[in-house]
Amino acid sequence: MTEKERKEATETSEAQIAVHWQEEGYVPPTPAFIAQANMTDPTIYDRFSLDNFPNCFKEYADLLDWYEYWTEILDTSDAPCFKWFKGGKINASYNCVDRHLAKHANKTAIHFVPELEEEKVDHVTYQELWVRVNEFAALLQDFCGLKAGDRVTLHMPMSTELPVTMLACARLGVIHSQVFGGFSGKAAADRIEDSGSNVLITMDAYYRGGKLLSHKEKADIAVEEAEKMGQKVDKVLIWQRYPGKYSSDVPMVDGRDYFVNDLLKDYYGKRVDPVPMPAEAPLFLMYTSGTTGKPKGCQHGTGGYLAYVAGTSKYVQDIHPEDVYWCMADIGWITGHSYIVYGPLALCASTVVYEGIPNYPDAGRCWRIAQDLGVNIFHTAPTAIRALRKIGPDEPAKYDYHFKHMTTVGEPIEPEVWRWYHEVVGKGEAAIVDTWWQTETGGFLCSTLPALKPMKPGSAGPGMPGIHCVIYDDEGKEVPPGQGIAGNICIQNPWPGMFQTIWGNRERFVNQYFERYCKDPNSKRWQDWPYMTGDAAVMAEDGYVRILGRIDDVINVSGHRLGTKEIESAALVVPEVAEAAVVPVKHDIKGREPDLYVALKPGIESSDELAKKISDTIVREIGPIAKPRKVWIVPDMPKTRSGKIMRRILAAISNGSDVGDTMTLANPEVVEEIKKMEAASK
Ligand code: WTA
């Protein structure tokens, strides 16, 4: 077998099971939108052409305030670990808070919307944010002894305290690593260990679906598990959902656990000067799933990252200081870091932080929030749009809100769903941007600039200014636009928002993202290091890109990335399980779901209880988002003669498509048995 045949036989990916729609026609933005837009100058594409690279990105750097202006725009001497704005000194907290005080101290920075409608919305002004960030930074510095370069793990739900914590870390140059609140204590432990954090910051509880969920026990598990891996956590700081009251019944551990609100009393009125950080100092880590079981910490820098998210927030999100901007992602994901916290606050917008789920208590909730707060920019994912369309297709019309602009992010959006978003949610008035990007990329890669390019349903649009996309086939040959042929989409050049490395693992960074298409591994020229995104895409004649999905073993569930290997290794924690294979299955709302196939150790009987135990273990190890659609306990895995599990066949069965030729398998009869199980379950 050739390498290519071997891959096809054993692997399956989202891109392979993607069913794709055709190219759609253009939809223009309204004249009213164009009249007010931040970017209406078509020469931006020339200014950001490859000929003007990398100097074009000065435009983004100049949106920020620098203590010391940089001297070299792009240092490629350690390629592919590129350094942007070298020689510059900057602080992210200063740029997101302090610099707005002179003119906008009393403007709302954060509207925190609790999930319970009877609870009061918290409107935090920039002045108030500044006070809270200073006091908490003082606490981190004094009580925890944290300083620039230290890592801190955050495992916090959607709350005002989360951006306060991030900005307090940034003020000191402390590297924050926020773990999605819905992840398990074990998942937090893995990230604590990998980042070497000895402080964990969490919250006692939060609302979800109308219930106050206790969150503190996850901290206990996280600390215990991290310690087993050799990483001691000395202090656990616990914010309270209701300040002054403990909303969990899990005991506090003496000498380790502290209520932030108690400690803060000693820091009222304290101020901490922002630390001028080198532009290339790490700002945060964001762990994401990749091709091996272990999540990897994407390391984002300070100056480049902040410049890129400020620039894209201004020109793609069209944020003006007078806008009320609501991105309904979770801050625990990159979307929330870049486009709830850092980008909007750098531009002095009012950003909405909503605690709960979109359909609590009913299908009109989002539109009531939009109406009540005067939200005029709305940002969400196809999975939420599909769900809202299903449960309340006529709800938006009942509320008096007007979006000028809307975003979709995280997965491909079906043209039908896009049209509902445009006509019903956006009332035909809003410009839509379909933004394609990744945890690794810090900010948008492809999107239309909303006043300059028309929308095309189902297409993410062309490369952003300064992002030069290229589609390669498996042999590394460029697939020209307009051929209708899919390939691996890469970016020809680095950009300021790009991650700097994988925390503590440069080798993996190079192997996974650059090795395949690198022109010369010893080269110090950026031209030789195209960035491989891991997505399959088709580029139309006009340069608009349609993303088909991942080419590797990552599954995008409701816009959240999960590694199949991660789920498989969680299943293998169950002692009865001998082998596990995860494949993506299409789902109406979530886009994709993981389906889990397991084979048991000899002598062990299959049962519903065991299937449940395996599913529960995955939820415990990773979190509810990784819960398999179904656990199929099979007599054996379909395998090649060399013993490789044929995931492609399992994926075909799960998706009800043709399994193809199975005669080359070592055990073709197993395929028939699995098909029967699947038919019987319907
Ligand atoms: C997918 C989320 C189609 C893609 C920002 C990518 C998309 C992965 C889009 C990254 C989009 C993201 N259209 N697919 N507009 N945006 N993706 O790291 O497969 O959580 O590689 O970052 O989501 O997911 P991540």
Side-chain angles (χ1 to χ4, degrees):
M1 267 193 201
T2 65
E3 171 66 11
K4 199 173 159 205
E5 281 163 348
R6 190 201 60 77
K7 265 195 84 173
E8 277 170 9
T10 56
E11 288 177 15
T12 187
S13 67
E14 289 191 343
Q16 279 167 310
I17 64 163
V19 180
H20 252 275
W21 45 84
Q22 298 300 306
E23 291 288 323
E24 298 273 325
Y26 292 130
V27 179
T30 64
F33 177 80
I34 298 173
Q36 61 79 61
N38 277 329
M39 180 48 72
T40 51
D41 174 5
T43 66
I44 185 167
Y45 286 102
D46 298 329
R47 294 203 305 277
F48 282 76
S49 69
L50 269 181
D51 288 343
N52 295 326
F53 182 87
N55 296 331
C56 50
F57 283 111
K58 179 178 185 312
E59 274 189 47
Y60 285 10
D62 289 349
L63 296 171
L64 304 177
D65 285 358
W66 297 81
Y67 294 107
E68 278 172 42
Y69 203 65
W70 42 275
T71 47
E72 189 183 349
I73 193 153
L74 175 65
D75 171 10
T76 65
S77 62
D78 188 28
C81 296
F82 300 107
K83 295 190 181 66
W84 283 87
F85 310 125
K86 214 175 143 190
K89 290 269 174 64
I90 191 164
N91 185 284
S93 178
Y94 178 85
N95 273 279
C96 291
V97 188
D98 305 48
R99 68 166 175 160
H100 305 316
L101 298 182
K103 282 202 195 131
H104 297 290
N106 296 321
K107 178 181 185 244
T108 299
I110 295 171
H111 294 283
F112 173 69
V113 183
E115 194 188 60
L116 298 188
E117 269 183 303
E118 57 269 31
E119 287 190 0
K120 201 180 156 326
V121 174
D122 193 12
H123 308 278
V124 183
T125 62
Y126 274 95
Q127 181 72 29
E128 171 73 7
L129 181 63
W130 180 75
V131 170
R132 294 201 205 179
V133 167
N134 269 283
E135 291 172 350
F136 192 56
L139 186 159
L140 292 177
Q141 190 173 46
D142 180 63
F143 183 74
C144 301
L146 290 168
K147 54 180 189 324
D150 292 343
R151 281 82 53 211
V152 170
T153 298
L154 284 44
H155 192 195
M156 295 180 63
M158 289 292 280
S159 52
T160 307
E161 289 77 6
L162 177 47
V164 165
T165 302
M166 291 161 63
L167 293 164
C169 289
R171 200 167 191 84
L172 302 172
V174 169
I175 305 168
H176 58 77
S177 168
Q178 153 71 3
V179 179
F180 170 55
F183 272 148
S184 65
K186 173 68 170 56
D190 293 339
R191 290 152 176 81
I192 288 173
E193 190 272 333
D194 190 78
S195 61
S197 306
N198 50 29
V199 175
L200 171 64
I201 306 176
T202 185
M203 192 174 256
D204 56 354
Y206 61 97
Y207 277 95
R208 200 156 177 86
K211 286 201 217 53
L212 186 61
L213 304 182
S214 168
H215 185 63
K216 156 70 164 75
E217 51 265 48
K218 290 187 181 171
D220 295 331
I221 296 170
V223 172
E224 192 182 312
E225 294 286 328
E227 202 153 338
K228 281 192 209 152
M229 292 183 270
Q231 179 60 44
K232 179 136 174 20
V233 175
D234 306 319
K235 290 192 169 70
V236 178
L237 303 187
I238 299 159
W239 289 99
Q240 290 156 315
R241 172 62 177 74
Y242 295 100
K245 175 175 162 217
Y246 186 34
S247 300
S248 166
D249 44 23
V250 180
M252 295 285 280
V253 175
D254 219 25
R256 186 197 79 184
D257 296 353
Y258 302 90
F259 290 123
V260 176
N261 295 307
D262 291 346
L263 300 175
L264 268 179
K265 295 187 177 126
D266 291 339
Y267 299 93
Y268 286 165
K270 291 276 189 304
R271 303 293 176 250
V272 177
D273 286 337
V275 179
M277 296 299 293
E280 67 271 21
L283 178 62
F284 66 86
L285 305 179
M286 171 65 64
Y287 282 82
T288 191
S289 299
T291 42
T292 63
K294 207 171 156 221
K296 51 199 175 185
C298 294
Q299 176 184 316
H300 283 284
T302 307
Y305 170 82
L306 200 63
Y308 198 68
V309 297
T312 49
S313 294
K314 182 157 182 176
Y315 301 131
V316 179
Q317 301 300 98
D318 200 52
I319 295 177
H320 301 60
E322 54 278 15
D323 289 326
V324 180
Y325 167 88
W326 181 17
C327 171
M328 201 173 58
D330 194 291
I331 299 174
W333 307 110
I334 192 69
T335 304
H337 274 48
S338 300
Y339 298 114
I340 296 178
V341 180
Y342 285 113
L345 295 180
L347 297 180
C348 195
S350 299
T351 187
V352 177
V353 173
Y354 172 51
E355 176 180 35
I357 57 175
N359 57 349
Y360 184 81
D362 57 54
R365 182 64 192 278
C366 294
W367 322 126
R368 281 199 294 284
I369 293 175
Q371 171 182 278
D372 295 349
L373 296 179
V375 173
N376 65 342
I377 306 181
F378 184 65
H379 185 154
T380 192
T383 184
I385 304 170
R386 289 184 211 113
L388 291 167
R389 174 175 179 248
K390 187 165 173 192
I391 59 173
D394 305 320
E395 286 297 306
K398 298 182 188 160
Y399 297 92
D400 182 23
Y401 69 82
H402 293 276
F403 296 149
K404 67 166 185 176
H405 183 290
M406 304 192 301
T407 299
T408 168
V409 60
E411 316 152 67
I413 182 166
E414 300 79 355
E416 268 316 296
V417 177
W418 191 98
R419 276 188 273 275
W420 180 78
Y421 196 37
H422 186 244
E423 280 148 33
V424 180
V425 178
K427 306 182 176 177
E429 300 163 337
I432 297 183
V433 292
D434 179 343
T435 59
W436 166 68
W437 59 297
Q438 310 178 300
T439 304
E440 293 86 341
T441 72
F444 306 142
L445 293 175
C446 281
S447 165
T448 49
L449 287 180
L452 284 173
K453 300 258 178 186
M455 307 166 246
K456 195 199 268 184
S459 284
M464 285 292 300
I467 302 286
H468 301 278
C469 300
V470 55
I471 297 189
Y472 289 128
D473 66 15
D474 280 340
E475 273 71 53
K477 280 221 314 286
E478 190 174 335
V479 180
Q483 309 287 301
I485 298 172
N488 301 337
I489 184 161
C490 297
I491 314 299
Q492 296 178 53
N493 58 290
W495 64 97
M498 177 180 184
F499 66 146
Q500 302 175 304
T501 187
I502 293 175
W503 178 257
N505 203 338
R506 186 184 199 275
E507 196 185 321
R508 193 167 164 202
F509 172 73
V510 177
N511 293 349
Q512 188 168 336
Y513 299 97
F514 300 96
E515 196 172 49
R516 182 141 175 211
Y517 295 115
C518 175
K519 294 170 191 153
D520 167 10
N522 296 315
S523 172
K524 304 288 174 218
R525 299 170 64 240
W526 58 262
Q527 288 87 341
D528 294 323
W529 294 94
Y531 167 76
M532 187 177 90
T533 64
D535 281 332
V538 185
M539 194 187 285
E541 192 68 52
D542 56 9
Y544 280 45
V545 162
R546 266 186 297 140
I547 301 293
L548 305 180
R550 305 285 313 178
I551 54 170
D552 53 14
D553 37 19
V554 168
I555 306 183
N556 195 331
V557 182
S558 304
H560 301 150
R561 268 165 75 170
L562 293 171
T564 53
K565 295 258 164 51
E566 250 172 281
I567 306 176
E568 288 166 8
S569 39
L572 289 168
V573 169
V574 177
E576 290 89 344
V577 174
E579 285 179 307
V582 168
V583 295
V585 193
K586 285 190 267 9
H587 183 274
D588 281 353
I589 305 283
K590 301 182 189 174
R592 298 278 184 276
E593 265 188 321
D595 229 9
L596 174 68
Y597 287 85
V598 294
L600 303 177
K601 287 183 184 155
I604 295 182
E605 288 289 312
S606 162
S607 67
D608 290 348
E609 293 73 57
L610 183 54
K612 181 165 185 310
K613 177 171 158 191
I614 297 168
S615 179
D616 290 349
T617 304
I618 292 169
V619 171
R620 196 187 65 228
E621 291 282 308
I622 305 174
I625 59 164
K627 190 174 160 43
R629 175 185 78 136
K630 197 164 161 56
V631 178
W632 302 96
I633 301 184
V634 297
D636 195 5
M637 296 286 185
K639 284 184 185 154
T640 61
R641 286 181 212 277
S642 59
K644 294 206 162 59
I645 299 177
M646 294 277 274
R647 289 185 173 71
R648 178 179 63 73
I649 288 180
L650 296 173
I653 297 174
S654 284
N655 289 285
S657 54
D658 182 15
V659 295
D661 181 16
T662 56
M663 286 334 282
T664 55
L665 293 189
N667 53 355
E669 69 289 350
V670 163
V671 177
E672 293 313 310
E673 285 180 55
I674 300 176
K675 273 162 85 179
K676 272 193 216 126
M677 283 176 67
E678 148 79 41
S681 77
K682 280 190 179 143

